[in-house]
Amino acid sequence: VRATGGETGRAGARGQRASLGLLRRGFQLSMALVGLGTLVMFARHPSYLSSGAELAGLTQVAGAAPHSLASVARGVARGRGEAITMLGLLLLLLTPVARLVATAAGFARRGERPFVVLAAAVLAIIAASLVLGQAAGA
Amino acid sequence: VSPLEFFVAVLAASLAAGALGALLGLGGGVVVVPLLTLVLHIPIELAVGASIVSVIATSTGAWAATAQGDELVNLKVATFLQVGASLGALTGGALATVVPHRALFVVFGLLIGYSAAAMVARPPGRRQRPAPPDRLAERLGLHGSYRDPATGQQVTYRVAHSRVGLGLMYVAGLASGLLGIGSGALKVPAMDLVMRLPIKVSSATSNVMIGLTAATSAGVYLLRGDIQPLLAAPVALGVAAGAGAGARMLRTMPGPRVRAVFIVVLVWIGAEMLWKGLA
């Protein structure tokens, strides 16, 4: 019986390590996309390297940067640097939530039921905030 | 200023912001926002969008650098308190268009000034009256321990006033939602002064929480178009790299020094907020 317990413990630890490794790779991918997008942007617009006239247009509210999922996808397909960067930023913004899910799974594996409930409550609040924010924005 | 020069300037400042942020459990927005608005004349909406990116990059960057179950972080305390912080952020987001911002900056500036004064008045090491037993913390098993790499000692601590802490996190979350800040400046003193967590545990645990609080509102900023790639890219890259260094510094720096640096930065943030509200 004890051996089986040890086995599940080890499997749990393995699961924990696997999810942490996945999260870390996701973070590294997001940083790589942000960096790659920046390089592509400068490569495709050589004037960005020297001209002071370009900056104003790039730092405007609601400028030309893609900010809906559809426009990011279209931009990535066309190899636009700004869109690749935005994809990386989207991935980065998701990392805290993904970490919370992994934490909740860890609590579940250790049988810490109150903390699974608390983590689920936090996720529900985040979801509610997104829905409310979108409703307010529309 | 060409876009390339702009990129390099923001990247350099973000490295410093990330290191300071991860060391102290703050988002780094306190460094990034004034630089963007006052020095580089970026519209405040975009600066706040960049600040949100900075908070999340600090949180995740610090985590990725130490990772695999950093024992300074108390995940149970983080999860418990995050319920209050997220609820506060939700309320704040809903009220953001109704409440006058200038008055808020004054209120939170004063609150942060008060926290700084309280942290100076109660230096670590001075013997405190033992905290009354906290039945909720007991039942949830919130107490913890860690091996301090700075001293090589195993530090065991007990959590106090968990209900009051939860309420204070609601207030901190409210500030996040209303003002678009990470509000680690309120979270760390609440854990340090009220809940009696060691300063290094408070900072590391705040680092986990600020990322989640910022993620609560990040999607909204993104959809509104307040996140600009030329601005957000150097912030994200610089802050994430700086945060890795800051997180490693937190492991090896002695607690009293972390606390001293935190108090100095707290005074700076409080002054910045008062100035925003009164100027």
Side-chain angles (χ1 to χ4, degrees), chain A residues 115 118-119 122 125, chain B residues 74-89 134 136 140 142 159-173 186-192 194-197 201-202 205-206 209-210 212-213:
Chain A
F115 289 94
L118 288 171
V122 173
I125 297 166
Chain B
N74 187 325
L75 275 177
K76 285 186 169 181
V77 169
T79 307
F80 171 72
L81 292 179
Q82 190 61 43
V83 176
S86 290
L87 268 180
D134 179 339
L136 184 61
L140 289 174
L142 294 181
V159 177
H161 303 298
S162 51
R163 273 169 230 261
V164 183
L166 189 64
L168 288 172
M169 291 302 151
Y170 180 81
V171 176
L186 295 173
K187 290 185 174 110
V188 175
M191 285 189 256
D192 178 80
V194 180
M195 300 178 71
R196 307 270 181 108
L197 293 169
V201 175
S202 303
T205 303
S206 167
M209 295 179 61
I210 55 173
L212 272 170
T213 313

Side-chain angles (χ1 to χ4, degrees), chain B residues 60-61 64 69 78 91 109-110 140 148 161 166 177 182 184 190 209 214 246 273 278:
Chain B
T60 303
T91 318
L110 291 174
L140 289 174
D148 191 341
H161 303 298
L166 189 64
M209 295 179 61
M273 288 198 145
L278 299 171

Side-chain angles (χ1 to χ4, degrees), chain B residues 8 22 26 45 66 79 101 127 137 145 153 181 190 194 227 244 254 276:
Chain B
V8 172
L26 307 168
E45 296 93 324
T66 53
T79 307
H101 277 204
R127 189 160 270 232
S145 72
Q153 276 175 333
I181 59 175
V194 180
I227 294 181
K276 263 193 211 161

